[in-house]
Amino acid sequence: MSQHRHPGAPGRAGAIPALPDLPEATVARLPEYLRALHNLADSGHETVSSEGLANAAGVNSAKLRKDLSHLGSYGTRGVGYDVALLIDQIESVLGLNECRSVALVGVGNLGHALAGYDGFASRGFRIAALFDADPSRVGEQINGLVVRHVDELPRVAVEASISIGVIATPAPAAQAVADQLVAVGVTSILNFAPCVLSVPEGVDVRKVDLAIELQILSFHEHRKASLTALPATGGSALTALPGGLAATDTQEAIGT
């Protein structure tokens, strides 16, 4: 995994501490652990077993212990993990001990909802600026912020110290917006537009496509329905597939 970090020299004032080179799958699970730990802390728990935390986060305990071992956290036998300490460790690794300013580009239905979401602040993020190319939306106020024209992005990004860009535009506009964000020095982008962005090396993009997630769920629904329809006695029941293919009840009806 490529991690774009620039640790400072040892002993230098303001140096950024070196971080463990975590597997990408571990990084993806850390926010789930953090959410579960905050819920435990809010419920008055001071310690938690690996099994308890794994259940709360929806993973198996062996995977959780391996993930946390990358952070140098192994818990105490018979006691478990110190909840407050583990929260501090994970927040430090995720860089959440400083509030990061976020620019949101595209304030249509989805962007409007994101701009109005209060949960970002409690997770270490601040929506600092809103942009749109639609003149009818420019000047609109959302959650105390005025929507600016996207042409103002270069100036505002510097003034507001934007570190992360969120794209919630239609797909045809997304690449141009990504180019603008990269041009002003943004190296982390969360993309809600249903398209693949082309960005330079060193720019990290996370894609959220709700339609794709629904299509994956549709597959699982389709598969459950097909399994339910199989003859109870087994045998060689065939399922017709597009293109004249067929699959037996012991085969996955998936193209290879």
Side-chain angles (χ1 to χ4, degrees), residues 24-247:
E24 198 68 51
T26 295
V27 175
R29 287 189 290 266
L30 289 181
E32 295 292 343
Y33 302 153
L34 187 59
R35 174 192 54 77
L37 286 163
H38 275 299
N39 289 339
L40 288 165
D42 291 343
S43 301
H45 292 80
E46 295 183 356
T47 61
V48 62
S49 66
S50 59
E51 289 79 8
L53 181 54
N55 288 336
V59 301
N60 67 64
S61 57
K63 184 176 292 183
L64 176 136
R65 286 192 294 269
K66 183 175 181 180
D67 286 341
L68 297 185
S69 71
H70 290 299
L71 311 184
S73 186
Y74 297 91
T76 303
R77 184 176 294 277
V79 176
Y81 295 95
D82 182 302
V83 171
L85 177 60
L86 194 50
I87 286 175
D88 286 344
Q89 285 181 306
I90 294 177
E91 288 186 343
S92 177
V93 167
L94 293 177
L96 300 180
N97 39 16
E98 60 177 280
C99 189
R100 299 190 182 277
S101 297
V102 177
L104 171 62
V105 185
V107 290
N109 291 336
L110 177 59
H112 200 289
L114 292 171
Y117 177 55
D118 293 327
F120 291 128
S122 63
R123 306 293 177 90
F125 302 93
R126 179 176 71 93
I127 302 293
L130 305 175
F131 300 94
D132 204 287
D134 184 350
S136 67
R137 293 194 178 276
V138 174
E140 181 181 350
Q141 271 208 4
I142 305 174
N143 212 19
L145 287 175
V146 176
V147 178
R148 303 169 185 266
H149 194 278
V150 71
D151 289 345
E152 296 187 57
L153 177 58
R155 176 180 59 81
V156 176
V158 173
E159 292 176 353
S161 300
I162 300 298
S163 60
I164 297 175
V166 177
I167 298 177
T169 66
Q175 183 62 56
V177 170
D179 293 342
Q180 287 179 284
L181 289 168
V182 170
V184 299
V186 172
T187 57
S188 294
I189 296 173
L190 180 61
N191 179 31
F192 283 90
C195 64
V196 176
L197 298 177
S198 175
V199 296
E201 185 176 355
V203 176
D204 294 302
V205 177
R206 298 286 297 180
K207 182 182 178 184
V208 180
D209 192 322
L210 301 180
I212 285 178
E213 299 304 320
L214 287 171
Q215 287 170 341
I216 293 171
L217 288 175
S218 175
F219 161 77
H220 289 294
E221 285 298 307
H222 183 56
R223 184 172 185 274
K224 285 182 284 189
S226 66
L227 290 174
T228 303
L230 290 176
T233 56
S236 58
L238 297 178
T239 302
L241 297 176
L245 301 176

